[in-house]
mmCIF file of all heavy atoms in Angstrom:
data_model
loop_
_atom_site.group_PDB
_atom_site.id
_atom_site.type_symbol
_atom_site.label_atom_id
_atom_site.label_comp_id
_atom_site.label_asym_id
_atom_site.label_seq_id
_atom_site.Cartn_x
_atom_site.Cartn_y
_atom_site.Cartn_z
ATOM 1 N N ILE W 13 18.296 14.420 -13.402
ATOM 2 C CA ILE W 13 18.497 15.453 -14.415
ATOM 3 C C ILE W 13 17.995 16.794 -13.820
ATOM 4 O O ILE W 13 16.825 16.946 -13.534
ATOM 5 C CB ILE W 13 17.774 15.122 -15.718
ATOM 6 C CG1 ILE W 13 18.283 13.808 -16.314
ATOM 7 C CG2 ILE W 13 17.933 16.277 -16.735
ATOM 8 C CD1 ILE W 13 17.580 13.370 -17.565
ATOM 9 N N ALA W 26 14.029 15.861 -12.891
ATOM 10 C CA ALA W 26 13.414 14.737 -13.545
ATOM 11 C C ALA W 26 14.347 13.535 -13.354
ATOM 12 O O ALA W 26 15.573 13.739 -13.241
ATOM 13 C CB ALA W 26 13.167 15.009 -15.023
ATOM 14 N N GLU W 47 13.607 21.507 -23.320
ATOM 15 C CA GLU W 47 14.859 21.413 -24.052
ATOM 16 C C GLU W 47 16.003 21.039 -23.110
ATOM 17 O O GLU W 47 16.888 20.264 -23.468
ATOM 18 C CB GLU W 47 15.161 22.748 -24.753
ATOM 19 C CG GLU W 47 14.267 22.999 -25.936
ATOM 20 C CD GLU W 47 14.305 21.887 -26.959
ATOM 21 O OE1 GLU W 47 15.420 21.369 -27.272
ATOM 22 O OE2 GLU W 47 13.228 21.508 -27.477
ATOM 23 N N LEU W 56 23.532 11.943 -21.228
ATOM 24 C CA LEU W 56 23.700 10.605 -20.676
ATOM 25 C C LEU W 56 23.892 9.542 -21.727
ATOM 26 O O LEU W 56 24.075 8.355 -21.402
ATOM 27 C CB LEU W 56 22.450 10.271 -19.798
ATOM 28 C CG LEU W 56 22.296 11.126 -18.563
ATOM 29 C CD1 LEU W 56 20.907 10.903 -17.935
ATOM 30 C CD2 LEU W 56 23.370 10.784 -17.524
ATOM 31 N N ARG W 64 10.165 4.992 -23.581
ATOM 32 C CA ARG W 64 8.823 4.578 -24.022
ATOM 33 C C ARG W 64 7.794 4.751 -22.913
ATOM 34 O O ARG W 64 6.599 4.746 -23.169
ATOM 35 C CB ARG W 64 8.823 3.097 -24.467
ATOM 36 C CG ARG W 64 9.906 2.729 -25.477
ATOM 37 C CD ARG W 64 9.998 3.709 -26.625
ATOM 38 N NE ARG W 64 8.702 4.016 -27.232
ATOM 39 C CZ ARG W 64 8.440 5.138 -27.900
ATOM 40 N NH1 ARG W 64 9.353 6.096 -27.995
ATOM 41 N NH2 ARG W 64 7.232 5.343 -28.423
ATOM 42 N N GLY W 80 2.535 16.061 -22.254
ATOM 43 C CA GLY W 80 1.868 15.955 -23.550
ATOM 44 C C GLY W 80 2.871 15.810 -24.706
ATOM 45 O O GLY W 80 2.618 15.086 -25.685
ATOM 46 N N GLN W 84 2.506 12.902 -27.277
ATOM 47 C CA GLN W 84 2.127 13.267 -28.640
ATOM 48 C C GLN W 84 3.275 13.203 -29.599
ATOM 49 O O GLN W 84 3.146 12.648 -30.725
ATOM 50 C CB GLN W 84 1.510 14.684 -28.654
ATOM 51 C CG GLN W 84 0.981 15.099 -30.027
ATOM 52 C CD GLN W 84 0.395 16.497 -29.997
ATOM 53 O OE1 GLN W 84 0.766 17.344 -30.821
ATOM 54 N NE2 GLN W 84 -0.500 16.756 -29.044
ATOM 55 N N ASN W 86 6.589 12.068 -28.963
ATOM 56 C CA ASN W 86 7.528 10.950 -28.800
ATOM 57 C C ASN W 86 6.820 9.593 -28.806
ATOM 58 O O ASN W 86 7.472 8.559 -28.888
ATOM 59 C CB ASN W 86 8.308 11.129 -27.501
ATOM 60 C CG ASN W 86 9.596 10.339 -27.494
ATOM 61 O OD1 ASN W 86 10.453 10.555 -28.378
ATOM 62 N ND2 ASN W 86 9.775 9.485 -26.534
ATOM 63 N N ILE W 101 -5.004 14.821 -21.153
ATOM 64 C CA ILE W 101 -5.614 14.666 -22.488
ATOM 65 C C ILE W 101 -6.162 16.006 -22.982
ATOM 66 O O ILE W 101 -6.025 16.323 -24.146
ATOM 67 C CB ILE W 101 -6.759 13.619 -22.406
ATOM 68 C CG1 ILE W 101 -6.146 12.241 -22.046
ATOM 69 C CG2 ILE W 101 -7.534 13.541 -23.712
ATOM 70 C CD1 ILE W 101 -7.185 11.191 -21.634
ATOM 71 N N VAL W 142 3.015 -1.898 -12.714
ATOM 72 C CA VAL W 142 3.275 -2.194 -14.134
ATOM 73 C C VAL W 142 4.693 -2.621 -14.270
ATOM 74 O O VAL W 142 5.581 -2.176 -13.536
ATOM 75 C CB VAL W 142 2.952 -0.969 -15.013
ATOM 76 C CG1 VAL W 142 1.477 -0.670 -15.026
ATOM 77 C CG2 VAL W 142 3.754 0.250 -14.579
ATOM 78 N N LEU W 147 11.532 -3.372 -14.975
ATOM 79 C CA LEU W 147 11.325 -2.915 -13.601
ATOM 80 C C LEU W 147 9.847 -3.054 -13.256
ATOM 81 O O LEU W 147 8.977 -2.958 -14.144
ATOM 82 C CB LEU W 147 11.718 -1.439 -13.443
ATOM 83 C CG LEU W 147 13.183 -1.096 -13.717
ATOM 84 C CD1 LEU W 147 13.319 0.448 -13.833
ATOM 85 C CD2 LEU W 147 14.089 -1.639 -12.630
ATOM 86 N N HIS W 161 -2.465 12.719 -6.652
ATOM 87 C CA HIS W 161 -1.018 12.522 -6.444
ATOM 88 C C HIS W 161 -0.694 11.075 -6.245
ATOM 89 O O HIS W 161 -1.292 10.360 -5.439
ATOM 90 C CB HIS W 161 -0.587 13.322 -5.195
ATOM 91 C CG HIS W 161 0.880 13.473 -5.077
ATOM 92 N ND1 HIS W 161 1.721 12.419 -4.774
ATOM 93 C CD2 HIS W 161 1.702 14.555 -5.257
ATOM 94 C CE1 HIS W 161 2.978 12.832 -4.742
ATOM 95 N NE2 HIS W 161 2.976 14.137 -5.025
ATOM 96 N N VAL W 188 7.309 23.084 3.229
ATOM 97 C CA VAL W 188 6.007 22.420 3.094
ATOM 98 C C VAL W 188 5.400 22.719 1.728
ATOM 99 O O VAL W 188 5.136 23.910 1.408
ATOM 100 C CB VAL W 188 5.047 22.820 4.231
ATOM 101 C CG1 VAL W 188 3.670 22.216 4.036
ATOM 102 C CG2 VAL W 188 5.631 22.412 5.584
ATOM 103 N N PRO W 199 -5.108 13.774 5.245
ATOM 104 C CA PRO W 199 -4.614 12.882 4.198
ATOM 105 C C PRO W 199 -3.112 12.975 4.007
ATOM 106 O O PRO W 199 -2.483 11.982 3.674
ATOM 107 C CB PRO W 199 -5.377 13.372 2.982
ATOM 108 C CG PRO W 199 -6.633 13.960 3.502
ATOM 109 C CD PRO W 199 -6.231 14.624 4.785
ATOM 110 N N SER W 203 -0.629 9.825 4.098
ATOM 111 C CA SER W 203 0.243 9.525 2.975
ATOM 112 C C SER W 203 1.701 9.360 3.410
ATOM 113 O O SER W 203 2.414 8.464 2.912
ATOM 114 C CB SER W 203 0.158 10.654 1.919
ATOM 115 O OG SER W 203 -1.121 10.640 1.312
ATOM 116 N N PHE W 216 13.371 9.903 -3.587
ATOM 117 C CA PHE W 216 13.807 10.835 -4.592
ATOM 118 C C PHE W 216 12.771 11.947 -4.693
ATOM 119 O O PHE W 216 11.649 11.720 -5.122
ATOM 120 C CB PHE W 216 14.024 10.156 -5.942
ATOM 121 C CG PHE W 216 15.263 9.267 -5.979
ATOM 122 C CD1 PHE W 216 15.152 7.923 -5.743
ATOM 123 C CD2 PHE W 216 16.500 9.828 -6.234
ATOM 124 C CE1 PHE W 216 16.307 7.110 -5.751
ATOM 125 C CE2 PHE W 216 17.646 9.041 -6.273
ATOM 126 C CZ PHE W 216 17.528 7.668 -6.037
ATOM 127 N N PHE W 220 14.550 18.442 -3.920
ATOM 128 C CA PHE W 220 15.268 18.050 -5.073
ATOM 129 C C PHE W 220 16.278 16.963 -4.681
ATOM 130 O O PHE W 220 17.046 17.206 -3.751
ATOM 131 C CB PHE W 220 16.032 19.286 -5.646
ATOM 132 C CG PHE W 220 16.871 18.984 -6.868
ATOM 133 C CD1 PHE W 220 16.440 19.345 -8.125
ATOM 134 C CD2 PHE W 220 18.110 18.385 -6.759
ATOM 135 C CE1 PHE W 220 17.205 19.091 -9.267
ATOM 136 C CE2 PHE W 220 18.894 18.137 -7.871
ATOM 137 C CZ PHE W 220 18.453 18.500 -9.132
ATOM 138 N N LEU W 257 -1.490 37.406 5.767
ATOM 139 C CA LEU W 257 -1.117 36.012 6.081
ATOM 140 C C LEU W 257 0.072 35.593 5.251
ATOM 141 O O LEU W 257 0.980 34.910 5.760
ATOM 142 C CB LEU W 257 -2.291 35.095 5.812
ATOM 143 C CG LEU W 257 -2.063 33.607 6.083
ATOM 144 C CD1 LEU W 257 -1.683 33.365 7.524
ATOM 145 C CD2 LEU W 257 -3.305 32.815 5.720
ATOM 146 N N ILE W 268 12.043 29.360 10.744
ATOM 147 C CA ILE W 268 12.357 27.940 10.793
ATOM 148 C C ILE W 268 13.621 27.627 9.969
ATOM 149 O O ILE W 268 14.536 26.928 10.413
ATOM 150 C CB ILE W 268 11.185 27.108 10.272
ATOM 151 C CG1 ILE W 268 9.980 27.199 11.207
ATOM 152 C CG2 ILE W 268 11.595 25.639 10.072
ATOM 153 C CD1 ILE W 268 8.728 26.547 10.650
ATOM 154 N N PHE W 270 16.163 29.608 9.032
ATOM 155 C CA PHE W 270 17.418 30.158 9.547
ATOM 156 C C PHE W 270 17.791 29.544 10.870
ATOM 157 O O PHE W 270 18.975 29.465 11.224
ATOM 158 C CB PHE W 270 17.345 31.698 9.638
ATOM 159 C CG PHE W 270 17.123 32.339 8.282
ATOM 160 C CD1 PHE W 270 16.398 33.523 8.172
ATOM 161 C CD2 PHE W 270 17.605 31.753 7.131
ATOM 162 C CE1 PHE W 270 16.195 34.103 6.947
ATOM 163 C CE2 PHE W 270 17.411 32.373 5.878
ATOM 164 C CZ PHE W 270 16.723 33.543 5.785
ATOM 165 N N TRP W 299 -8.487 25.805 5.359
ATOM 166 C CA TRP W 299 -9.169 26.159 6.599
ATOM 167 C C TRP W 299 -10.432 26.997 6.341
ATOM 168 O O TRP W 299 -11.417 26.877 7.086
ATOM 169 C CB TRP W 299 -8.211 26.936 7.517
ATOM 170 C CG TRP W 299 -7.192 26.009 8.175
ATOM 171 C CD1 TRP W 299 -5.851 26.004 8.033
ATOM 172 C CD2 TRP W 299 -7.532 24.940 9.075
ATOM 173 N NE1 TRP W 299 -5.277 25.012 8.781
ATOM 174 C CE2 TRP W 299 -6.275 24.335 9.434
ATOM 175 C CE3 TRP W 299 -8.673 24.401 9.623
ATOM 176 C CZ2 TRP W 299 -6.172 23.260 10.304
ATOM 177 C CZ3 TRP W 299 -8.593 23.339 10.486
ATOM 178 C CH2 TRP W 299 -7.387 22.774 10.823
ATOM 179 N N GLN W 302 -13.056 24.560 5.565
ATOM 180 C CA GLN W 302 -13.490 23.897 6.797
ATOM 181 C C GLN W 302 -14.460 24.726 7.591
ATOM 182 O O GLN W 302 -15.445 24.230 8.125
ATOM 183 C CB GLN W 302 -12.271 23.540 7.668
ATOM 184 C CG GLN W 302 -11.340 22.487 7.099
ATOM 185 C CD GLN W 302 -12.043 21.165 6.901
ATOM 186 O OE1 GLN W 302 -12.292 20.752 5.767
ATOM 187 N NE2 GLN W 302 -12.356 20.479 7.977
#
Side-chain angles (χ1 to χ4, degrees):
I13 299 177
E47 290 304 317
L56 293 168
R64 308 315 310 155
Q84 183 180 129
N86 202 58
I101 296 166
V142 292
L147 300 167
H161 194 289
V188 176
S203 292
F216 287 96
F220 178 102
L257 180 60
I268 293 173
F270 298 148
W299 284 116
Q302 292 299 109

